[in-house]
């Protein structure tokens, strides 16, 4: 199939090869919410040779920094980033799973200090073992279905 689902952009960040169905969580990780002013286009469940189906997110007029983009690897380890300028791809790279994350996922352990009334930012150690696994810095609770805790 040779068909463009969403238009090319003049300038900004294209996040491609997102696992099908995860585009909305990608927006959440990037801090893009209903009140945001960025121009964002998105395609969900589009056919992909490599992945069967995939999602795509395009954020116009903004070069999202690499550290921020790497957080996407938590839910979409195969995501590719394309930084676009004057319609041309200036840089293309794969996201890299961060070893440590702060403030993205909530600890599933209700008794964890990060779920108390204390102003404590949740922190997790992260690694890949067949799937992405996160372990709470405070209570050591392991999280496997990370999407459910974002
Ligand atoms: N893209 C865009 N605007 C541009 C250029 C590219 O939105 N001005 C998007 C394309 O639609 C695509 C992604 O950026 O989703 C990567 O573009 P390209 O490298 O041309 O496509 P592929 O070769 O299919 O990418 P890959 O090799 O990463 O699979
Ligand atoms: Zn915890």
């Amino acid at each position: 199939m040779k068909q463009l689902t969403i238009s090319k952009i003049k300038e900004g960040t294209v996040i491609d090869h997102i696992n099908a169905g995860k585009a909305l969580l990608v927006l959440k990780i990037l801090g893009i919410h209903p009140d945001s002013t960025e121009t964002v286009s998105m395609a969900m469940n589009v056919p992909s040779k490599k992945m069967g189906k995939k999602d795509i997110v395009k954020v116009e007029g903004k070069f999202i920094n690499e550290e921020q983009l790497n957080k996407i690897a938590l839910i979409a380890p195969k995501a590719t980033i394309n930084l676009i300028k004057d319609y041309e791809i200036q840089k293309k790279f794969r996201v890299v799973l961060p070893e440590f994350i702060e403030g993205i996922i909530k600890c599933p352990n209700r008794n964890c200090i990060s779920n108390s009334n204390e102003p404590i930012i949740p922190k997790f150690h992260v690694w890949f073992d067949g799937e992405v696994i996160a372990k709470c810095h405070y209570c050591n609770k392991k999280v496997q279905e990370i999407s459910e805790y974002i």
Side-chain angles (χ1 to χ4, degrees), residues 40-74:
V40 178
S41 51
M42 197 176 76
M44 292 174 74
N45 296 313
V46 300
S48 156
K49 281 199 201 94
K50 289 178 218 164
M51 303 176 72
K53 280 183 173 185
K54 67 173 181 180
D55 288 3
I56 307 170
V57 167
K58 304 188 184 190
V59 184
E60 285 182 59
K62 191 173 178 180
F63 300 105
I64 302 169
N65 77 50
E66 208 157 325
E67 194 188 333
Q68 186 83 342
L69 290 164
N70 281 339
K71 296 174 187 169
I72 293 168
L74 287 171

Side-chain angles (χ1 to χ4, degrees), residues 105-123:
I105 57 182
K106 296 185 199 81
C107 184
N109 173 6
R110 285 171 163 273
N111 296 321
C112 179
I113 191 160
S114 67
N115 286 323
S116 68
N117 287 327
E118 306 292 325
I120 291 170
I121 299 165
K123 295 179 185 173

Side-chain angles (χ1 to χ4, degrees), residues 10-133:
K10 182 166 189 282
E11 190 165 286
T13 308
V14 173
I15 304 150
D16 199 354
H17 305 113
I18 300 168
N19 300 42
K22 302 289 189 205
L24 291 170
L25 282 179
V26 166
L27 294 180
K28 199 166 178 189
I29 287 177
L30 296 177
I32 296 168
H33 45 76
D35 295 330
S36 299
T37 53
E38 291 95 347
T39 302
V40 178
S41 51
M42 197 176 76
M44 292 174 74
N45 296 313
V46 300
S48 156
K49 281 199 201 94
K50 289 178 218 164
M51 303 176 72
K53 280 183 173 185
K54 67 173 181 180
D55 288 3
I56 307 170
V57 167
K58 304 188 184 190
V59 184
E60 285 182 59
K62 191 173 178 180
F63 300 105
I64 302 169
N65 77 50
E66 208 157 325
E67 194 188 333
Q68 186 83 342
L69 290 164
N70 281 339
K71 296 174 187 169
I72 293 168
L74 287 171
I75 52 159
K78 290 182 183 141
T80 42
I81 308 302
N82 301 271
L83 301 180
I84 316 286
K85 211 166 186 179
D86 284 322
Y87 289 100
E88 301 287 335
I89 296 171
Q90 296 266 306
K91 200 176 170 197
K92 186 193 277 281
F93 57 93
R94 286 269 299 269
V95 293
V96 179
L97 192 67
E99 286 177 13
F100 190 70
I101 51 164
E102 283 190 27
I104 303 169
I105 57 182
K106 296 185 199 81
C107 184
N109 173 6
R110 285 171 163 273
N111 296 321
C112 179
I113 191 160
S114 67
N115 286 323
S116 68
N117 287 327
E118 306 292 325
I120 291 170
I121 299 165
K123 295 179 185 173
F124 285 81
H125 303 271
V126 178
W127 67 95
F128 189 82
D129 184 13
E131 62 181 327
V132 177
I133 299 172

